[in-house]
């Protein structure tokens, strides 16, 4: 099969925007804890009502500062609660947040702020401020720079006290799903990064349907996630939106050295990460076992976990495998789960291949990892494995409302409500990848197997044989 489509779960509509989400949660369950914020060695809970109030206060402050609908505002910070508040506040004010990696060079910062015509930028600390100030004289349109670490967010929120609630409501109601929500700059292998225009509908329609599609993960009792990927990345931004849509308790972590401590105290039920994180957890557990002279036991436990997962996926687990699994669960697997805080049952992985053995190992341990696939231009999810459709080595089936097909050379083409509307100020680049009928050329080469997508390479890496056949060099 060279094409696979999945229908929407929820009907697509033109009304509503990301700005509606905080109020929607606050109205439905005001006392529900929707965020936990790191405070020293503890976590301080934030209810849905408090989050909505924080967003409204900052949105009013932005309006008082002169931020107009449709104006771009940069955000340059590590992953933290204030970034999420700023995102939703800017959306509520009708503005367009433009994320900037906190590791970006002054030259990169200048390009993004200049190309997006940003009128203001929110930065985290003095180092980020310096990166902006280095090019301030060449950014005549940049009116304001606010520093989170200097209390500017609190001051802005106070400045908005005189803004009428009706004015804020008018800003929100003016938004539709086709309104521009954000401009995310791709890294780009050649030339300057391109600004990807994603609408409120790109994020919201995907999040609403995904929350139904993986309800077992995001709507289960006590569902929570610890976000540690950079919020400048589209994957983290989508999870931020998904969490608020589904009412998932979310925490933010930006210090990778303290990540294991954060896992232990936050106790997430699911996380999103790149394969390297799972590889690191496995290798650390293996090294500790070897240091404790129990390396052979860990190796046997590894093979037992993989065998248990493979047999379960095939529909029948042998009695000897079950017995071994039960023994190693007490000796080994529980310690691996404790490394994630002890409550984690699911994880999402993207960015590069995870590897079937590693996927089966963690599944055997008790943490099922769902590989997924997408691009910045697709907001970002096109396909993902899920509880009832899991095949390691593939990136899963298309998500709700999405169609995937293969071109003659194997390139994956996609169509759906999450596909971007174009590159900012770059019609030529848009025409190269986005057809008039809405099909997007991903640049990746894949195969569709029983409805599951397998990515095998990049189109630009194809080898053309002497016989004229296109071959993707698989790892």
């Amino acid at each position: 099969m060279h094409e696979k489509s999945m229908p929407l779960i929820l009907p697509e509509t033109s009304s509503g925007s990301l700005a509606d989400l905080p109020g929607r949660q606050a109205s439905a369950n005001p006392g529900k804890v929707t965020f936990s914020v790191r405070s020293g060695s503890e976590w301080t809970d934030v209810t849905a009502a408090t989050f909505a109030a924080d967003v409204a206060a900052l949105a009013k402050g932005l309006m008082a500062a002169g931020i107009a609908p449709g104006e771009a505002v940069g955000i340059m910070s590590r992953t933290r609660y204030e970034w999420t508040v700023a995102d939703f506040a800017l959306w509520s004010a009708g503005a367009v947040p433009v994320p900037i990696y906190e590791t970006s060079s002054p030259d990169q910062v200048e390009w993004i702020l200049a190309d997006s015509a940003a009128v203001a930028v929110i930065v985290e600390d003095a180092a980020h401020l310096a990166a902006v100030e280095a090019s301030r004289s060449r950014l005549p349109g940049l009116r304001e720079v606010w520093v989170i670490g200097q209390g500017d967010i609190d001051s802005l929120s106070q400045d908005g006290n005189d803004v009428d609630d009706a004015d804020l409501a008018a800003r929100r109601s003016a938004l539709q799903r086709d309104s521009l929500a954000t401009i995310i700059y791709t890294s780009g292998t050649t030339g300057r990064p391109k600004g990807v225009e994603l609408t409120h509908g790109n994020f919201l329609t995907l999040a609403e349907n995904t929350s139904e599609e993986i309800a077992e993960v995001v709507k289960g009792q006590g569902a929570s996630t610890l976000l540690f990927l950079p919020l400048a990345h589209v994957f983290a931004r989508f999870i931020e939106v998904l969490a608020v849509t589904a009412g998932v308790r979310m925490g933010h972590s930006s210090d990778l050295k303290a990540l294991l401590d954060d896992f232990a105290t936050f106790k997430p039920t699911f996380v999103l990460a790149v394969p390297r994180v799972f590889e690191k957890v496995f290798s650390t557990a293996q090294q500790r076992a070897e240091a404790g002279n129990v390396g052979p036991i860990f190796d046997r436990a590894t093979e037992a976990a993989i065998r248990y997962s493979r047999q379960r996926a095939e529909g029948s687990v042998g009695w000897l495998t079950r017995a071994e699994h039960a023994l190693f669960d007490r000796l080994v697997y529980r310690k691996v789960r404790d490394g994630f805080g002890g409550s984690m049952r699911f994880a999402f992985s993207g960015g590069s291949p995870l590897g079937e053995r590693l996927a089966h190992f963690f599944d055997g341990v008790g943490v099922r990892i769902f590989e997924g696939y997408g691009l910045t231009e697709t907001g970002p999810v096109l396909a993902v494995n899920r509880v009832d459709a899991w095949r390691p080595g593939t990136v899963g089936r298309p998500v709700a409302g999405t169609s995937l097909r293969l071109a003659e050379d194997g390139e994956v083409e996609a169509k759906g409500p999450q596909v971007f509307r174009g590159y900012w100020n770059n019609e030529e680049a848009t025409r190269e990848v986005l057809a008039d009928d809405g099909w997007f050329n991903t640049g990746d080469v894949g195969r569709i197997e029983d409805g599951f997508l397998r990515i095998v390479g990049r189109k630009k890496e194809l080898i053309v044989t002497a016989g004229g056949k296109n071959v993707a060099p698989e790892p």
Side-chain angles (χ1 to χ4, degrees):
M1 179 183 294
H2 297 291
E3 183 170 339
K4 178 67 176 179
S5 299
M6 298 294 286
L8 282 168
I9 298 173
L10 300 176
E12 192 169 9
T13 174
S14 62
S15 63
S17 73
L18 297 169
D20 298 329
L21 293 178
R24 188 186 298 177
Q25 284 295 337
S27 297
N29 198 343
K32 183 177 182 179
V33 174
T34 50
F35 290 91
S36 291
V37 181
R38 193 70 143 124
S39 179
S41 60
E42 305 294 329
W43 294 90
T44 301
D45 290 339
V46 177
T47 65
T50 300
F51 174 64
D54 289 346
V55 168
L58 182 55
K60 288 182 178 182
L62 292 164
M63 291 167 63
I67 300 300
E71 288 189 322
V73 176
I75 307 178
M76 184 180 185
S77 169
R78 294 180 298 173
T79 300
R80 56 188 294 165
Y81 174 70
E82 289 84 357
W83 182 307
T84 297
V85 172
D87 254 344
F88 281 93
L90 286 163
W91 287 325
S92 297
V96 179
V98 179
I100 304 172
Y101 281 95
E102 56 104 6
T103 54
S104 297
S105 68
D107 181 61
Q108 292 170 324
V109 173
E110 179 181 353
W111 166 253
I112 292 172
L113 293 177
D115 188 66
S116 65
V119 298
V121 59
I122 298 170
V123 300
E124 182 177 22
D125 55 29
H128 301 146
L129 175 61
V132 174
E133 292 295 343
S135 57
R136 187 76 181 270
S137 62
R138 295 185 295 277
L139 298 169
L142 189 67
R143 304 192 300 261
E144 302 283 355
V145 181
W146 296 297
V147 185
I148 297 172
Q150 295 178 5
D152 290 351
I153 297 299
D154 294 334
S155 298
L156 262 178
S157 298
Q158 290 293 324
D159 293 343
N161 286 339
D162 294 333
V163 175
D164 196 278
D165 288 343
D167 293 335
L168 178 58
R171 290 279 184 105
R172 288 179 178 142
S173 63
L175 295 168
Q176 296 291 317
R177 296 208 176 203
D178 61 358
S179 300
L180 181 62
T182 189
I183 303 171
I184 301 179
Y185 282 80
T186 60
S187 55
T189 54
T190 58
R192 289 289 194 178
K194 298 188 292 287
V196 175
E197 297 181 354
L198 291 172
T199 66
H200 285 261
N202 288 147
F203 276 128
L204 188 54
T205 302
L206 181 63
E208 289 173 337
N209 281 271
T210 301
S211 65
E212 297 297 324
E213 204 164 24
I214 58 170
E216 185 173 342
V217 179
V218 300
K219 290 190 174 182
Q221 183 66 32
S224 62
T225 188
L226 185 64
L227 190 63
F228 52 89
L229 292 181
L231 270 166
H233 194 283
V234 67
F235 193 11
R237 294 286 283 301
F238 171 68
I239 293 297
E240 168 190 80
V241 171
L242 178 64
V244 178
T245 300
V248 173
R249 181 175 71 95
M250 187 168 73
H252 300 74
S253 178
S254 58
D255 184 358
L256 293 183
K257 294 179 181 178
L259 186 57
L260 292 181
D261 291 337
D262 286 345
F263 278 142
T265 53
F266 187 88
K267 301 184 183 304
T269 61
F270 74 94
V271 298
L272 65 148
V274 292
R276 180 60 186 147
V277 171
F278 303 110
E279 293 166 2
K280 187 71 173 175
V281 170
F282 175 80
S283 63
T284 298
Q286 188 178 48
Q287 290 165 10
R288 286 177 178 172
E290 292 172 352
N293 297 317
V294 290
I297 294 177
F298 184 86
D299 292 341
R300 282 187 58 192
T302 296
E303 294 306 317
I306 294 170
R307 186 167 59 254
Y308 177 86
S309 174
R310 288 188 187 278
Q311 291 181 6
R312 186 168 63 171
E314 292 168 358
S316 177
V317 181
W319 69 268
L320 181 58
T321 300
R322 286 199 304 270
E324 273 191 305
H325 184 270
L327 172 64
F328 287 128
D329 188 67
R330 294 192 297 271
L331 297 177
V332 178
Y333 306 152
R334 189 174 301 169
K335 294 178 182 178
V336 176
R337 292 195 300 270
D338 287 345
F340 290 108
S343 299
M344 199 169 93
R345 296 177 54 216
F346 305 108
F348 294 91
S349 177
S352 62
L354 176 67
E356 290 188 41
R357 278 182 58 83
L358 200 59
H360 281 299
F361 167 77
F362 278 104
D363 182 57
V365 163
V367 177
R368 177 161 286 191
I369 301 175
F370 305 109
E371 283 192 88
Y373 166 73
L375 302 89
T376 303
E377 289 88 343
T378 61
V381 187
L382 288 172
V384 70
N385 281 277
R386 27 200 177 266
V387 175
D388 60 347
W390 183 67
R391 183 176 294 186
T394 75
V395 293
R397 292 175 174 169
V399 294
T402 302
S403 297
L404 298 178
R405 70 184 184 190
L406 301 181
E408 289 187 5
D409 60 2
E411 181 181 7
V412 179
E413 298 177 346
K415 187 176 184 179
Q418 72 276 57
V419 174
F420 79 140
R421 72 181 196 184
Y423 293 113
W424 177 257
N425 288 336
N426 198 334
E427 293 184 7
E428 181 180 353
T430 301
R431 286 194 298 270
E432 289 176 358
V433 298
L434 190 61
D436 292 338
D437 59 0
W439 282 95
F440 170 67
N441 301 325
T442 66
D444 292 310
V445 177
R447 294 197 298 266
I448 297 177
E449 307 165 352
D450 301 324
F452 289 82
L453 176 65
R454 186 184 298 271
I455 301 297
V456 299
R458 288 287 292 169
K459 183 176 179 178
K460 64 183 179 181
E461 296 169 351
L462 284 177
I463 298 171
V464 182
T465 67
K469 184 179 180 181
N470 292 310
V471 179
E474 299 186 49

